[in-house]
Amino acid sequence: MSDTEVSTTMQDNRWLWLLEALHKLVTSVAVILTTLFGLLVLTFVIGRMVPADPVLAILGDTFDQAAYDRVYQDLGLDQPLYVQFLHYVQNILHLDFGQSNVTKNEVVDDLARVFPATLELAILAITIGTVLGVPLGIISAVRRGTWIDHLARIVGLMGHSTPIFWLGTMVILIFYAGLGWIPGGGRIDLYNDGLVEGPTGMLILDAMLAREWEVFWSALHHILAPALLLGYAAMAYLSRMSRSFMLEQLNQEYILTARAKGLAQPSIVWKHAFRNIRVQLLTVVTLAFCGLLDGAVLIETVFGWPGLGQYLTAALFYADMNAVLGAVLLIGLISILINLLSDVVYRFVDPRTR
Amino acid sequence: MTMIHKNEGLRAWLLSDDFSSPRHARAHKAYVSWLRFSSNPLAFGGLLVVVLLILAASFAPIFATHDPLAQDFAKALQPPSLGNLFGTDELGRDVYSRLVYGARTTLYITILVTVIVGPIGFVVGAAAGYLGGWVDMVLMRITDIFLAFPSLVLALAFSAALGAGIENAVIAIALTIWPPVARLVRAETLTFRKADFVVAAELQGASTARILLRYIVPLCAPSVIIRLTLNMASIILTAAGLGFLGLGAQPPLPEWGAMAAQGRQYLLDAWWLTAVPGIAILVVSLAFNLLGDGLRDVLDPKHA
């Protein structure tokens, strides 16, 4: 809707529309704030459920009662639960996630260090999943019942059913140990390590910016297998969803009209039907991205990828709760932000929501 | 009358749509559904694998060729042979027998999680959908919070807090699986809430509990059953993932994910330690997916 059209004839409607938009904005902000609050409550509760005594984790084995009491009070454990919770929220707002018992760093610094690696992997994987999965789903909807439809179904079913950590291990066994095509794990070769640092922390991007092509190829070589595996899981989901979205559109009457007008098949599929499923697709791509973070935890462990997932599993192994909660909170935050982003884009792309 | 005649008569009775009683109509519907289900080879294959899994878990001592916990260091890391179908692990235990006993762990987790999640999903979803208003808002916000996390990450956090172990894994997985079920029940309830037969029951003075239990729940049941069956596949994968990270069933109890994880240390010398349990997870999870798809075709034609 262009401004000039509206302002002359429908002044009142315009105010109404603005008011409505404002109301929507306030509601969605309120929803996000409550979800964030719930996220904090959840991680707080999980932190309190741990059977291990946090005082002992700091003091170790040798201490006297006075030292125990002092640490107990320093940690605020003598306060009522809601005061402890307020402290917890306050700390989080100051980006203080506590110290990691294993790395002895602030958890925030650790997270900032490992997060770009996961982001790099996840972005590449979702790109692979979308670029392969969406066209596959659409083609199998258009050519329903042909071999390509069956192929897409098999690909989808296998993607839904394969334990990704196992698939990753088998890929290492065959392509690293057997054929020697891929590296055995990690982000980069030893002799290229540390040549490129910052600004984004995503090695491939940084290497391109610094024009260090050897580093670039090494990083690409390392990311290929884990990204393809994660991308495969996303692709299975996306192809299945885009097939059913497309089928729904192709059964509509406007498609029949377009066919009656004599439009060519590609034009019907891509100009008419596809435009109408873009919004739905966007939503499932964001869902796939969140699901991908799950797979990333396992794939990073299998491939020794120094990202958020590996950090989380290592912290779990050493019962390093500050680090675990920090990582979990970060993953929850990312999911919420991505959903918010899809919501915003949704409003821009779909005229019905305006 | 011979046995064959009797059966043919039964078949004809089941297939005729000239119903003589409500019981007849129900029997007819069940029989026709079964015919439709069993004519789908993929769904039928899925059902076969699931039945096999249940049999293996129930009669594990009969299926197993060795004691799954018996160690024999003289026979460690033997490749697959006639004596040890899928070889032996680093402690000389028979992988095939551990696989059979591992079916118990998998089935135990899957069934327990489903039994916990089903009622919770029904109660939360039906209450939110039928009562509406602030009850709906509060319940759906809580659901959203749980949905904000990727499920494995949430399960990891809960397992870490509760400590490793099979019961805690069940609780952790259940906590992550219920929100989508509640969402589904709510959506289904919303479509029936204003239906004439529900309003009629309300006018007759039926209590909320009665309306939910007698009118809403039976109508939601087919789609929830389909959802729960498809969920079993993801429960198996999540449980295996937790086991892989060392948070599921604890050794020496055989669990497929943990078996695959342990085998990774001997990957180059003994590939079967990792390959075999992984294939078992894949086959069973695939079977539940196929079974769920098949059930959807039969029970819920509008979403097929």
Side-chain angles (χ1 to χ4, degrees), chain B residues 4 67 70 134 192:
Chain B
I4 297 165
D67 178 350
W134 64 268
F192 303 127

Side-chain angles (χ1 to χ4, degrees), chain B residues 36 70 72 128 265 280 300:
Chain B
R36 191 138 35 103
D72 181 1
Q265 298 167 29
D300 194 12

Side-chain angles (χ1 to χ4, degrees), chain A residues 157-163 240, chain B residues 50 53 106 110-111 113-114 173 177 225-241 280-293:
Chain A
L157 268 171
M158 293 309 264
H160 276 295
S161 313
T162 313
R240 194 174 168 139
Chain B
V50 172
L53 176 79
T106 302
T110 314
I111 290 178
V113 170
T114 306
I173 298 173
I177 298 271
I225 289 171
I226 294 160
R227 178 80 212 200
L228 287 176
T229 311
L230 290 172
N231 262 350
M232 287 180 183
S234 51
I235 293 170
I236 288 167
L237 288 182
T238 311
I281 300 168
L282 169 62
V283 168
V284 170
S285 141
L286 187 64
F288 276 110
N289 270 326
L290 291 173
L291 181 63
D293 279 352

